[in-house]
Amino acid sequence: RSCTVIIIRGAGGVFCAGLDSAAFNENPAPIWRRHFQEDWANLHNNFFMCPKPIIGAVEQYGIAAGAALAFACDFLVVGEQAFLHVAEVQMGLMAPINVAWLAIRYSHALGLKMALQGEPVYGQELFQLGIANECCEDSEVLNLARKLGYRLAKYDSETLRNMKLALRKPKGITDFYQVLGEVKNS
């Protein structure tokens, strides 16, 4: 039987620390770096096109690329002490994947707050801003994400898919590359 809902979380109780810059900057360059940007964009397009609801269980933190993975989720359950941090602005780097997800999912003002302030935003504030759907004690993140997943899994998978696609239609976005291209050409 195929799955109806997808839950993602990081290993060891940490959602995602972002890109391993030491590995990325090895000399000679690792083979995987040659196609990294394309592979990273493809992964996010797969998230965007996925017909199944995706729940992110954010334990501890999602930094830079980790924040992008969190924004890619349809639902987020975060711990009170967990945070998302679009840190690239502090390094003078563009964060096109983060910016694309912020543009797709949230208001312009909220996108500015998350992308330009360069500060971590913690669990309760993520919930109040509407980025997280649930905020709970840190030790309960995975349990609450699973509870949400079980609730959604009771529904007809075709109905879930159709509703997810229908909510995207009025925005006129056909795939993630469309928004990513607009962000990169800004």
Short mmCIF file of all heavy atoms in Angstrom, two decimals, residues 5-9 53-57 142 144-150:
data_model
loop_
_atom_site.label_atom_id
_atom_site.label_comp_id
_atom_site.label_asym_id
_atom_site.label_seq_id
_atom_site.Cartn_x
_atom_site.Cartn_y
_atom_site.Cartn_z
N VAL A 5 0.58 10.29 3.46
CA VAL A 5 1.19 11.49 4.06
C VAL A 5 2.68 11.20 4.24
O VAL A 5 3.08 10.08 4.52
CB VAL A 5 0.54 11.79 5.44
CG1 VAL A 5 1.20 12.97 6.11
CG2 VAL A 5 -0.95 12.02 5.29
N ILE A 6 3.50 12.26 4.11
CA ILE A 6 4.94 12.15 4.31
C ILE A 6 5.33 13.02 5.50
O ILE A 6 4.92 14.18 5.58
CB ILE A 6 5.70 12.61 3.05
CG1 ILE A 6 5.33 11.73 1.86
CG2 ILE A 6 7.21 12.63 3.29
CD1 ILE A 6 5.76 12.29 0.51
N ILE A 7 6.12 12.46 6.41
CA ILE A 7 6.67 13.24 7.53
C ILE A 7 8.18 13.24 7.37
O ILE A 7 8.79 12.19 7.18
CB ILE A 7 6.28 12.62 8.89
CG1 ILE A 7 4.77 12.65 9.08
CG2 ILE A 7 6.98 13.37 10.03
CD1 ILE A 7 4.28 11.97 10.35
N ILE A 8 8.78 14.44 7.43
CA ILE A 8 10.24 14.51 7.39
C ILE A 8 10.75 15.12 8.68
O ILE A 8 10.11 15.99 9.27
CB ILE A 8 10.78 15.28 6.16
CG1 ILE A 8 10.40 16.75 6.19
CG2 ILE A 8 10.33 14.66 4.87
CD1 ILE A 8 11.18 17.60 5.21
N ARG A 9 11.89 14.62 9.09
CA ARG A 9 12.57 15.15 10.27
C ARG A 9 14.05 14.86 10.10
O ARG A 9 14.45 14.05 9.26
CB ARG A 9 12.04 14.51 11.54
CG ARG A 9 12.44 13.04 11.68
CD ARG A 9 11.87 12.39 12.91
NE ARG A 9 12.53 12.78 14.12
CZ ARG A 9 13.04 11.91 14.99
NH1 ARG A 9 12.96 10.61 14.75
NH2 ARG A 9 13.61 12.32 16.08
N PRO A 53 0.40 15.33 1.16
CA PRO A 53 0.75 16.33 2.19
C PRO A 53 2.10 15.97 2.82
O PRO A 53 2.37 14.80 3.12
CB PRO A 53 -0.37 16.22 3.21
CG PRO A 53 -1.50 15.55 2.51
CD PRO A 53 -0.87 14.66 1.48
N ILE A 54 2.94 16.98 3.01
CA ILE A 54 4.26 16.80 3.62
C ILE A 54 4.27 17.55 4.94
O ILE A 54 4.00 18.75 4.98
CB ILE A 54 5.38 17.32 2.70
CG1 ILE A 54 5.35 16.61 1.35
CG2 ILE A 54 6.73 17.17 3.38
CD1 ILE A 54 6.27 17.21 0.31
N ILE A 55 4.58 16.83 6.01
CA ILE A 55 4.64 17.42 7.34
C ILE A 55 6.11 17.46 7.77
O ILE A 55 6.81 16.45 7.73
CB ILE A 55 3.85 16.57 8.35
CG1 ILE A 55 2.38 16.46 7.93
CG2 ILE A 55 3.97 17.15 9.77
CD1 ILE A 55 1.58 15.42 8.72
N GLY A 56 6.57 18.64 8.18
CA GLY A 56 7.91 18.78 8.72
C GLY A 56 7.86 18.77 10.24
O GLY A 56 7.07 19.50 10.83
N ALA A 57 8.67 17.93 10.86
CA ALA A 57 8.79 17.88 12.31
C ALA A 57 10.09 18.60 12.66
O ALA A 57 11.18 18.02 12.56
CB ALA A 57 8.80 16.44 12.80
N LEU A 142 7.75 15.16 17.34
CA LEU A 142 7.52 14.01 16.46
C LEU A 142 6.15 13.37 16.75
O LEU A 142 5.43 13.00 15.82
CB LEU A 142 8.63 12.98 16.58
CG LEU A 142 8.56 11.81 15.62
CD1 LEU A 142 8.51 12.27 14.16
CD2 LEU A 142 9.72 10.86 15.83
N LEU A 144 3.44 14.83 17.87
CA LEU A 144 2.39 15.68 17.33
C LEU A 144 2.36 15.63 15.80
O LEU A 144 1.29 15.64 15.19
CB LEU A 144 2.56 17.12 17.83
CG LEU A 144 1.38 18.04 17.69
CD1 LEU A 144 0.13 17.46 18.34
CD2 LEU A 144 1.70 19.39 18.31
N ALA A 145 3.54 15.56 15.17
CA ALA A 145 3.60 15.44 13.71
C ALA A 145 2.95 14.12 13.26
O ALA A 145 2.19 14.10 12.29
CB ALA A 145 5.04 15.51 13.22
N ARG A 146 3.24 13.07 13.98
CA ARG A 146 2.63 11.77 13.65
C ARG A 146 1.11 11.81 13.85
O ARG A 146 0.37 11.25 13.05
CB ARG A 146 3.25 10.67 14.50
CG ARG A 146 4.64 10.30 14.06
CD ARG A 146 5.23 9.23 14.94
NE ARG A 146 6.52 8.79 14.41
CZ ARG A 146 7.48 8.29 15.16
NH1 ARG A 146 7.30 8.13 16.46
NH2 ARG A 146 8.61 7.92 14.60
N LYS A 147 0.69 12.46 14.90
CA LYS A 147 -0.76 12.59 15.18
C LYS A 147 -1.45 13.31 14.02
O LYS A 147 -2.50 12.88 13.54
CB LYS A 147 -0.96 13.33 16.49
CG LYS A 147 -2.33 13.29 17.04
CD LYS A 147 -2.34 13.95 18.43
CE LYS A 147 -3.70 13.89 19.05
NZ LYS A 147 -3.73 14.51 20.37
N LEU A 148 -0.85 14.38 13.54
CA LEU A 148 -1.38 15.11 12.39
C LEU A 148 -1.37 14.20 11.16
O LEU A 148 -2.34 14.13 10.40
CB LEU A 148 -0.58 16.38 12.12
CG LEU A 148 -0.92 17.17 10.86
CD1 LEU A 148 -2.39 17.61 10.84
CD2 LEU A 148 0.01 18.38 10.73
N GLY A 149 -0.27 13.48 10.97
CA GLY A 149 -0.17 12.57 9.84
C GLY A 149 -1.24 11.49 9.86
O GLY A 149 -1.87 11.20 8.84
N TYR A 150 -1.48 10.91 11.02
CA TYR A 150 -2.53 9.88 11.15
C TYR A 150 -3.90 10.46 10.84
O TYR A 150 -4.73 9.82 10.20
CB TYR A 150 -2.53 9.26 12.55
CG TYR A 150 -1.34 8.39 12.84
CD1 TYR A 150 -0.66 8.50 14.06
CD2 TYR A 150 -0.88 7.44 11.92
CE1 TYR A 150 0.44 7.71 14.34
CE2 TYR A 150 0.22 6.64 12.20
CZ TYR A 150 0.88 6.78 13.41
OH TYR A 150 1.97 6.00 13.68
#
